Amino acid sequence: MGISVDLPYFPRTGLLEDVAKVYESGLKQGVTLFAPRRHGKTSFVKHELLPFAAETLGWQTIYIDLWARRDVPDLALVEALEAELEKRQSGWRRKLKLAKIKTRAKTPVADVESTMVPVGFEAEDALENRLAHALAAVVDGKPTLLVLDEVQALAGVKRENFVAAFRTALQKLAGTLFVFYTGSSRDGLNQMFRIQRAPLFESAMALPLPALGNDFVDDRLAFLADRSRARVSRKALRDAFVALGGTPEYLNELVLTLLIANDGNVVKALDSWQAAREKAGAHIALEGLRPLDHAVLALLAEPKHPSVYGADGLGFMSKRMAGQVVKASSVQGAMRKLAKRGLVAPTGRTGEYEIEDPVLLLQLRADAKTRD
Ligand SMILES: Nc1ncnc2c1ncn2[C@@H]1O[C@H](COP(=O)(O)OP(=O)(O)O)[C@@H](O)[C@H]1O
Ligand SMILES: [Mg+2]
C-alpha cells in the first residue's frame, strides 16, 4: 500500500531455540516452517535464524528464495547454488591475485576483475548433476545452513527426478548440511506431500510459527507512544490485530496509518487502511462470482462455521440465496472454482477449505455486518 517503512522486528519467542535443538539433536537434517504469507517467515529467517547460524554457530549460510523464480524453481535452486560457489571461488581468486599484485605492485586493481575466469559448467550437464555438484562444492565439509524460502514452488517442478536427486544430495551431506524450509501455499504443500516428492520432508521436522499476540500489539503501542501524542486504546488495537487475522504486516501498516494520521482512532485508521489497500488494487476482487459462490464465501467467513456440506451449512447458504435449494454437489463445484481463483485454500483435511487471506476475511465480515 505504498508504505514501505519497516517497523522494528519483534522476536518469535522460543522458535530459534526449537530450531537449534532439532539440528543439535542430529535426528533431523531439516526443519519446515509453514505459515500463511505475510505472517513473518522470511522476517524470522533474516532477523533471527541466519544471524544466529552465521555469528553464534559460525556456520556458512545460504538463503534461496524460490518464490522469486517459481516458474523455474529447479533451475533457480541450481543457479543460486552455483552463484554462491562462484562468489566464494572468485573471492578466493581475488585474494590470491591481490596478494600476487601486491608483491609485483602497480597493476591497476580493475584488471583483477576483468581477468577473472568464470567458473564453467558444462551446458549439457543434467540439472540433477549440477545440483549435486554445486551443493557438495558449496558445503565443502563446513557446517552449512541452507534456507529454501517458499519451498512449495518445487511442487511445480516438471522434472521427475529432480526432487529425488535433491534429496539424495542432501542425504550425502547429512551431519554437515542443515536445511530450513519455509512454505505458505497449502495447495502446493498438499501436492508435495501427496506425490512421491513427500520424502523430501521425511528428513525434516515441522515446527509451527508461534503466533504473535498481545505482547506484540503492546510493543507496537510502545513504538507509537514514543513517536506520537495520539492516544490509542490498547483494547481497540488488540481487537484490530485479531480482525487482521494476526498478520503482523497488516498491524504494522495500521500502526503507520495511526502514526501518519496522528490520530489514535483505531476504527477510523482501519477504515482508511482498507480504503488505501483498495485504491492500491490490493483488495480482493469478487467480480464474476455467482450467488452460490458468494454464499459459500459468506459461510466460510463466519467464525466457527459449520461444514459447508452439512445440513446446517447448506441451510445457511440457502437462506442467503433467498431460500433457493442448495445441493452439496453444486457447493463442491463452487469450491473448486473459488480454490482456482485463490480465494479459498484447502485446510489439509479432505474436502475442507478455508479463507486464508485475512483481508478477504475482513472484507467478508464487514459485508456480513452491513447485511444484518
Ligand atoms: N516478527 C515480526 N515483527 C515485526 N514485524 C513483522 C514480524 N514478522 C513479520 N513482520 C512484518 O510482516 C511483513 C511480512 O513478513 P514476511 O516475513 O515477509 O512474511 P512471509 O515470509 O511469511 O510472507 C514484514 O515485512 C514485516 O513488516
Ligand atoms: Mg517470505
Side-chain angles (χ1 to χ4, degrees):
M1 62 178 290
I3 302 175
S4 62
V5 184
D6 246 355
L7 269 70
Y9 178 75
F10 190 79
R12 299 279 179 164
T13 316
L15 181 56
L16 188 61
E17 289 77 4
D18 288 348
V19 176
K21 264 186 234 151
V22 174
Y23 294 146
E24 249 168 55
S25 76
L27 296 173
K28 297 276 180 189
Q29 189 181 9
V31 169
T32 57
L33 182 72
F34 294 135
R37 290 187 77 72
R38 302 198 179 93
H39 273 233
K41 300 177 298 295
T42 304
S43 300
F44 167 74
V45 164
K46 299 217 157 151
H47 285 96
E48 297 195 60
L49 184 61
L50 290 173
F52 171 76
E55 287 148 34
T56 310
L57 301 176
W59 291 4
Q60 305 190 92
T61 58
I62 307 161
Y63 169 86
I64 302 177
D65 179 7
L66 290 171
W67 183 253
R69 292 183 64 198
R70 56 195 176 279
D71 48 331
V72 282
D74 40 3
L75 194 61
L77 175 55
V78 173
E79 286 183 353
L81 289 169
E82 289 176 350
E84 189 69 32
L85 191 57
E86 173 138 14
K87 203 169 83 194
R88 286 182 195 178
Q89 292 184 341
S90 70
W92 244 103
R93 273 198 301 274
R94 191 175 301 131
K95 274 185 205 148
L96 277 177
K97 290 209 170 158
L98 278 174
K100 270 193 207 156
I101 288 161
K102 271 187 189 146
T103 54
R104 279 197 229 126
K106 302 248 163 66
T107 314
V109 175
D111 276 356
V112 176
E113 291 283 350
S114 57
T115 54
M116 263 176 5
V117 220
V119 184
F121 293 98
E122 300 292 322
E124 64 268 27
D125 259 10
L127 204 56
E128 287 78 7
N129 292 339
R130 281 171 60 187
L131 174 71
H133 172 260
L135 197 59
V138 166
V139 172
D140 191 25
K142 296 187 274 288
T144 305
L145 176 68
L146 171 65
V147 178
L148 295 184
D149 208 356
E150 301 291 348
V151 70
Q152 77 278 351
L154 280 179
V157 168
K158 310 238 162 34
R159 304 169 72 93
E160 288 240 318
N161 299 322
F162 186 80
V163 177
F166 180 47
R167 183 179 170 233
T168 309
L170 288 179
Q171 275 173 336
K172 282 197 186 137
L173 299 166
T176 340
L177 175 63
F178 301 89
V179 194
F180 191 83
Y181 307 93
T182 85
S184 59
S185 145
R186 301 246 178 121
D187 222 0
L189 287 167
N190 282 344
Q191 236 176 311
M192 283 185 83
F193 278 108
R194 237 180 276 126
I195 332 176
Q196 87 280 36
R197 287 157 185 164
L200 184 58
F201 294 116
E202 264 168 22
S203 61
M205 167 102 179
L207 291 180
L209 182 68
L212 293 173
N214 286 338
D215 44 353
F216 174 59
V217 180
D218 293 352
D219 178 83
R220 303 295 100 161
L221 273 173
F223 173 90
L224 268 172
D226 275 351
R227 287 163 185 79
S228 157
R229 283 169 187 279
R231 293 167 124 329
V232 181
S233 144
R234 188 173 303 270
K235 182 176 181 309
L237 200 61
R238 287 179 173 185
D239 289 348
F241 188 46
V242 173
L244 293 169
T247 312
E249 181 169 329
Y250 297 151
L251 186 67
N252 283 349
E253 290 178 352
L254 187 65
V255 164
L256 286 173
T257 309
L258 285 162
L259 191 65
I260 291 163
N262 200 24
D263 175 350
N265 187 331
V266 173
V267 177
K268 216 167 109 189
L270 209 50
D271 278 347
S272 58
W273 171 78
Q274 246 185 318
R277 284 188 68 86
E278 275 169 40
K279 235 172 105 189
H283 75 295
I284 289 146
L286 300 177
E287 285 101 56
L289 295 184
R290 291 167 311 158
L292 178 59
D293 306 325
H294 283 286
V296 170
L297 286 178
L299 176 63
L300 291 177
E302 291 281 304
K304 303 208 179 84
H305 61 83
S307 158
V308 279
Y309 301 115
D312 285 351
L314 294 175
F316 175 99
M317 290 184 270
S318 158
K319 203 171 132 212
R320 274 237 10 179
M321 295 169 66
Q324 205 178 310
V325 177
V326 176
K327 282 186 297 194
S329 57
S330 337
V331 173
Q332 226 162 9
M335 205 62 103
R336 267 199 299 273
K337 174 167 151 198
L338 293 170
K340 231 178 169 174
R341 281 186 56 167
L343 295 172
V344 301
T347 61
R349 289 181 298 273
T350 11
E352 284 187 45
Y353 289 80
E354 67 183 350
I355 295 163
E356 229 178 14
D357 193 316
V359 169
L360 179 57
L361 255 185
L362 205 67
Q363 242 173 260
L364 292 166
R365 285 184 184 163
D367 285 354
K369 258 196 208 140
T370 51
R371 265 172 183 271
D372 294 343

